[in-house]
């Protein structure tokens, strides 16, 4: 069943504030696959974004479909998504990856961004197949931990500190994260028409304060804080070390970095006829 690690109101708030959007190239890549590989026309009726969180990808899909539905197991996430709603053709529903609350054979595209590893994959694929129209498509999307760029080049010290922090989190990291760390290489979509794409990257210009706040949205950080009863916060130490690494006279608000992560995608098309 879907893991339930993002349900608290505080965690959902962090997710809404700090989880990044996807570059336009992700949408373009999906639409190209639908047109070229699945031989679909441009008249798309419905997209369903499963594990939508606070709706980052859901909203970006809206201009290309008559209706876009975001689905998440967390009522708190759905609440925040609804509060952020900006498109009249977007709606959000509570549901899981193993029981998607959408009519059978009604969907042109199913997306799942940075979340399919939390689902029972076989049951998820069964639900995807149920709700997709013939020649409908599915896109699984994930991204890696970023490389930190400072003053135009990768910064060895900042990346070392980040790697050490990730090592610190390992005892608190859910087993499901391994599939994400492996870039979904072990996941196989059940359709003969399928592709893998590792060509896209994302760049985010942020300050170190934003970077530290983004890390608070990670499930393994939340697990650590629960296990240690919040007696000490390793992100406070990480922020101080990063400031000292580049300029101990500045604050995290003043230090600008660029985060570069790699995006990977699995794309599949249901057969024209079952």
């Amino acid at each position: 069943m879907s893991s339930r690690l993002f349900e608290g109101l505080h965690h959902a708030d962090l997710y809404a504030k700090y989880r990044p959007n996807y570059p336009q190239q992700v949408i373009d890549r999906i639409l190209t696959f639908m047109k070229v590989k699945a031989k679909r026309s441009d008249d798309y009726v419905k997209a369903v974004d499963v594990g939508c969180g606070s709706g980052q990808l859901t909203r970006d899909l809206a201009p290309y479909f008559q209706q876009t539905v975001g689905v998440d197991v967390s009522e708190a996430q759905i609440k925040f998504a609804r509060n952020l709603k900006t498109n009249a053709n977007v709606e959000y529903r509570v549901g899981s990856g193993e029981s998607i609350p959408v009519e059978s054979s009604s969907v042109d595209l199913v997306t799942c961004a940075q979340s399919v590893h939390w689902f029972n994959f076989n049951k998820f694929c069964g639900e995807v197949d149920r709700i997709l129209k013939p020649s409908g498509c599915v896109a699984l999307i994930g991204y890696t931990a970023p490389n930190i760029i400072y003053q135009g080049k990768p910064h060895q010290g900042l990346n070392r500190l980040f790697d050490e922090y990730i090592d610190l989190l390992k005892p608190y990291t859910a087993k499901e994260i391994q599939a994400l760390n492996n870039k979904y290489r072990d996941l196989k979509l059940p359709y003969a028409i399928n592709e893998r794409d590792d060509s896209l990257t994302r760049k985010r210009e942020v300050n170190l304060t934003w970077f530290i706040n983004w890390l608070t949205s990670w499930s393994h950080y939340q697990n650590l804080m629960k296990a240690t009863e919040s007696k000490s916060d390793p992100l406070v130490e990480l922020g101080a070390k990063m400031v000292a690494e580049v300029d101990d006279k500045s604050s995290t608000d003043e230090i600008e970095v660029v985060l570069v992560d790699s995006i990977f995608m699995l794309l599949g098309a249901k057969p024209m006829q079952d």
Side-chain angles (χ1 to χ4, degrees):
M1 62 180 294
S2 298
S3 297
R4 307 173 76 96
L5 297 177
F6 303 90
E7 292 197 89
L9 285 172
H10 177 64
H11 198 178
D13 183 38
L14 293 171
Y15 208 96
K17 289 179 178 177
Y18 298 111
R19 283 296 167 119
N21 283 32
Y22 293 86
Q24 179 62 37
Q25 292 93 321
V26 168
I27 305 294
D28 294 342
R29 182 67 180 85
I30 293 171
L31 295 177
T32 297
F33 178 84
M34 294 179 73
K35 185 174 183 178
V36 175
K37 295 296 183 178
K39 310 298 183 184
R40 298 298 306 272
S41 68
D42 293 333
D43 185 21
Y44 303 133
V45 177
K46 184 186 294 185
V48 176
D49 184 28
V50 184
C52 67
S54 44
Q56 284 83 353
L57 182 61
T58 318
R59 292 186 294 274
D60 288 343
L61 289 168
Y64 306 96
F65 295 83
Q66 295 178 29
Q67 180 187 19
T68 305
V69 179
V71 175
D72 202 278
V73 72
S74 166
E75 292 185 9
Q77 294 280 11
I78 292 298
K79 178 181 178 180
F80 275 96
R82 287 171 176 160
N83 289 339
L84 293 168
K85 179 179 174 181
T86 56
N87 302 85
N89 64 330
V90 174
E91 69 170 287
Y92 295 97
R93 303 174 185 175
V94 175
S96 70
E98 300 86 359
S99 183
I100 303 172
V102 176
E103 300 81 2
S104 298
S105 304
S106 66
V107 176
D108 298 285
L109 173 68
V110 175
T111 58
C112 191
Q114 199 77 350
S115 58
V116 74
H117 49 282
W118 298 118
F119 306 152
N120 178 310
F121 188 67
N122 289 334
K123 290 183 179 179
F124 169 74
C125 287
E127 278 291 89
V128 168
D129 192 66
R130 177 184 67 80
I131 68 175
L132 280 180
K133 300 174 182 178
S135 76
C137 295
V138 56
L140 310 182
I141 307 156
Y143 56 88
T144 63
N147 189 19
I148 303 174
I149 309 297
Y150 179 69
Q151 295 185 342
K153 59 183 180 181
H155 193 283
Q156 183 176 358
L158 293 177
N159 283 294
R160 172 181 51 79
L161 290 170
F162 186 35
D163 288 341
E164 291 173 356
Y165 172 73
I166 291 175
D167 286 341
L168 175 69
L169 292 180
K170 285 182 178 177
Y172 308 96
T173 302
K175 64 182 186 302
E176 291 90 345
I177 293 290
Q178 182 56 42
L180 179 67
N181 291 340
N182 199 36
K183 299 183 179 181
Y184 296 162
R185 291 188 181 95
D186 295 329
L187 302 184
K188 306 297 182 185
L189 292 171
Y191 300 131
I193 300 175
N194 68 84
E195 290 184 354
R196 179 181 179 91
D197 191 327
D198 292 279
S199 67
L200 302 181
T201 59
R202 173 175 53 190
K203 294 183 180 181
R204 291 171 279 163
E205 297 181 4
V206 302
N207 59 33
L208 281 183
T209 298
W210 189 96
F211 175 68
I212 296 297
N213 285 330
W214 170 60
L215 295 178
T216 66
S217 74
W218 286 22
S219 62
H220 12 342
Y221 168 78
Q222 296 292 329
N223 290 340
L224 179 152
M225 296 303 286
K226 289 177 183 178
T228 60
E229 299 180 343
S230 304
K231 292 178 180 177
S232 63
D233 189 343
L235 287 179
V236 174
E237 181 180 359
L238 177 63
K241 286 181 176 180
M242 285 186 160
V243 169
E245 188 69 34
V246 297
D247 181 0
D248 59 5
K249 296 181 181 179
S250 299
S251 70
T252 54
D253 287 336
E254 299 170 304
I255 297 173
E256 302 287 334
V257 297
V258 177
L259 307 179
V260 181
D261 48 36
S262 299
I263 295 173
F264 47 92
M265 304 174 66
L266 302 182
L267 302 159
K270 184 175 179 176
M272 182 67 72
Q273 295 181 342
D274 294 331

